[in-house]
């Protein structure tokens, strides 16, 4: 999964990028303009750990999140339009994370998180509108009789009324499917990160921002970027101590991952064997063949059945054979909806 860090210059995108990835990209206004920072983190998973203890595989593989910190190509202040490079990078990611400044700026500017959040939302709304208008002009010129123009007209009206596309009801999944090529920004899951000073690390987000997030269907995490960036460099023992001194239970990345998974409605199924134990993140609600398709399209195409055990049963009972004896290993068909923590062995035929 790829998450793009976006926000106004000086909000602390690169600082938060460092806090989440444990890397040391250059921060501040001197940092190279137009330089994109990329970093990948593994998603900690106790289930993979437990299965690895059981199977002793050659390899164990965790889910990964890649963070992309897109530096705006041109200098500018709050309210600047998103430039083309930034837009293109934003369209490519699976989810967006807006870093919002919650600390006093270098020149003494008071933070205004709600205005910043709304400001970027407006810019993304405008970017989607421009894309739609261009396409509608083209369709009108071609005099093509497609349902596309009508559909785009519906989206346009929603955007003009200030509704982000992720909040638009009444459009079927099939209709959305015909529009995937547009990669609309306001349709992408969006997580707000309020970047606060150290002494506010454990203070909940202001109610107006929280209300805005709920209304627009956004995730929200409060994070003290600067100190979390230092914490990310420490040994696990020191991390625990520092995080506790901030009044928190976990470092930023752990809280961030939980919030992101909830926002994206992600769950993980697992595969386990002597070769590899592995976590596979998928959207909640996928059927067994669709989930199998994440591993390989051949397994989806040739799907016969799925042998499923819950990871806790498998670890508690110690083997698939024991699970079978105890009636804890089920054989499921095409319609089975995969659950979080299912350990699955796919039977397929190609
Ligand atoms: N006081 C304070 N300064 C911060 C915080 N986070 C970032 N900064 C500073 O704000 C400036 C901009 O941060 P940076 O991460 O480069 O922002 P970006 O332009 O969004 O990538 C840098 O000088 C940071 O050191 C914070 O939580 N508190
Ligand atoms: Mg930066």
């Amino acid at each position: 999964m790829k998450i793009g860090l976006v926000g106004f210059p000086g909000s602390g995108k690169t600082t938060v990028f460092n806090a989440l990835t444990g890397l040391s990209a250059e921060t501040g206004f001197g940092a190279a303009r137009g330089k994109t920072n990329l970093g990948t983190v593994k998603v900690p998973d106790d289930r993979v750990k437990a299965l690895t203890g059981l199977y002793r595989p050659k390899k164990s593989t965790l889910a990964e999140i890649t963070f992309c910190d897109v530096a705006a190509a041109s200098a500018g202040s709050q309210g600047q339009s998103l430039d083309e490079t930034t837009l293109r990078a934003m369209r490519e990611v699976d989810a967006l994370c807006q870093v919002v400044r919650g600390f006093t700026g270098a020149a003494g500017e008071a933070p205004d998180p709600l205005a910043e959040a709304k400001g970027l939302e407006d810019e993304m709304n405008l970017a989607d509108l421009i894309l739609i208008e261009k396409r509608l002009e083209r369709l009108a010129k071609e005099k093509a009789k497609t349902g596309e123009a009508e559909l785009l007209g519906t989206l346009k009206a929603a955007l003009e009324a200030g509704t982000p596309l992720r909040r638009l009801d009444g459009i079927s999944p099939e209709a959305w499917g015909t529009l995937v090529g547009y990669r609309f920004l306001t349709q992408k899951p969006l997580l707000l990160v309020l970047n606060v000073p150290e002494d506010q690390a454990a203070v909940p987000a202001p109610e107006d921002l929280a209300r805005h997030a709920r209304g627009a269907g956004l995730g929200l995490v409060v994070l003290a970027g600067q100190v979390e960036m230092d914490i990310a460099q420490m040994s696990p023992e020191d991390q625990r101590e520092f995080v506790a001194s901030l009044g928190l239970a976990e470092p930023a990345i752990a809280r961030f991952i939980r919030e992101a998974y909830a926002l994206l409605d992600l769950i993980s199924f697992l595969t386990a064997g002597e070769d590899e134990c592995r976590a596979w993140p998928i959207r909640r609600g996928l059927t067994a063949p669709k989930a199998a398709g994440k591993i390989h399209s051949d397994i989806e195409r040739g799907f016969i059945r799925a042998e499923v055990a819950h990871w806790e049963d498998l670890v508690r009972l110690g083997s698939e054979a024991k699970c079978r004896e105890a009636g804890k290993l089920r054989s499921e068909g095409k319609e089975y909806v995969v659950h979080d923590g299912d350990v699955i062995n796919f039977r397929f035929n190609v």
Side-chain angles (χ1 to χ4, degrees):
M1 176 175 40
K2 198 167 178 184
I3 297 183
L5 293 171
V6 296
F8 292 107
S11 57
K13 293 182 295 295
T14 306
T15 303
V16 167
F17 171 84
N18 287 339
L20 295 174
T21 60
L23 296 173
S24 309
E26 190 186 352
T27 61
F29 294 100
R33 289 279 162 202
K35 184 179 175 298
T36 296
N37 298 306
L38 277 178
T40 297
V41 297
K42 299 202 182 303
V43 178
D45 196 324
D46 289 340
R47 302 166 301 185
V48 174
K49 214 170 165 184
L51 291 170
T52 298
L54 189 63
Y55 285 87
R56 311 243 158 244
K58 293 191 200 83
K59 192 171 151 200
S60 59
T61 309
L62 295 168
E64 286 184 348
I65 297 178
T66 298
F67 290 99
C68 176
D69 166 26
V70 193
S74 54
S77 56
Q78 180 169 329
Q80 98 178 100
S81 290
L82 295 166
D83 61 81
E84 273 308 313
T85 316
T86 310
L87 283 173
R88 211 171 310 124
M90 286 166 74
R91 293 202 191 285
E92 269 171 30
V93 297
D94 303 306
L96 293 165
C97 167
Q98 181 186 2
V99 178
V100 175
R101 183 168 60 85
F103 57 91
T104 304
E109 320 90 302
D112 190 348
L114 184 61
E116 250 184 66
K118 285 183 172 167
L120 194 78
E121 186 87 41
D122 286 348
E123 292 219 23
M124 293 195 282
N125 186 308
L126 186 63
D128 283 350
L129 257 180
I130 291 171
L131 193 64
I132 289 175
E133 278 166 358
K134 275 190 193 151
R135 180 66 185 158
L136 282 173
E137 273 173 32
R138 169 90 54 88
L139 287 172
K141 241 181 242 156
E142 290 171 358
K143 298 195 171 61
K145 269 197 198 149
T146 64
E148 192 183 351
E150 194 183 333
L151 194 53
L152 289 175
T154 306
L155 304 197
K156 182 166 175 262
L159 289 168
E160 281 168 347
T163 307
L165 297 180
R166 76 178 79 80
R167 297 304 264 178
L168 183 59
D169 295 323
I171 292 189
S172 69
E174 294 73 35
W176 278 124
T178 65
L179 299 173
V180 283
Y182 288 98
R183 300 181 294 171
F184 294 118
L185 297 180
T186 64
Q187 198 188 4
K188 289 186 189 291
L190 175 62
L191 180 58
L192 298 178
V193 164
L194 180 61
N195 183 18
V196 296
E198 186 170 337
D199 62 356
Q200 290 170 35
V203 177
E207 183 46 35
D208 59 352
L209 188 67
R211 199 177 317 120
H212 169 72
R214 282 194 299 274
L218 317 180
L220 176 59
V221 177
V222 178
L223 194 158
Q226 218 158 39
V227 64
E228 291 273 8
M229 175 169 120
D230 297 335
I231 291 173
Q233 299 289 331
M234 297 174 184
S235 68
E237 301 80 63
D238 288 351
Q239 277 191 352
R240 260 192 292 281
E241 194 177 310
F242 262 81
V243 162
S245 77
L246 292 175
L248 298 168
E250 303 166 303
I253 182 67
R255 285 179 286 130
F256 183 95
I257 288 173
R258 250 204 327 279
E259 192 71 24
Y261 268 54
L263 178 70
L264 295 167
D265 212 14
L266 290 179
I267 60 168
S268 296
F269 74 89
L270 305 131
T271 50
E274 267 90 57
D275 286 335
E276 187 185 32
C277 290
R278 179 161 181 170
W280 301 87
I282 56 167
R283 286 216 172 223
R284 188 188 306 279
L286 289 195
T287 57
K290 287 277 174 235
K294 298 284 167 191
I295 302 177
H296 200 288
S297 54
D298 282 351
I299 313 182
E300 178 176 355
R301 217 169 327 116
F303 179 89
I304 300 171
R305 64 194 152 86
E307 284 169 2
V308 185
H310 192 259
W311 77 275
E312 273 171 328
D313 290 331
L314 188 52
V315 170
R316 182 170 49 86
L317 296 169
S319 72
E320 283 160 41
K322 292 260 171 57
C323 282
R324 195 185 301 278
E325 276 169 35
K328 297 286 186 192
L329 188 77
R330 308 180 316 269
S331 181
E332 302 281 4
K334 277 197 180 104
E335 309 300 322
Y336 178 69
V337 173
V338 172
H339 289 79
D340 195 35
D342 278 351
V343 184
I344 307 185
N345 192 355
F346 290 104
R347 300 286 172 197
F348 66 105
N349 192 350
V350 282

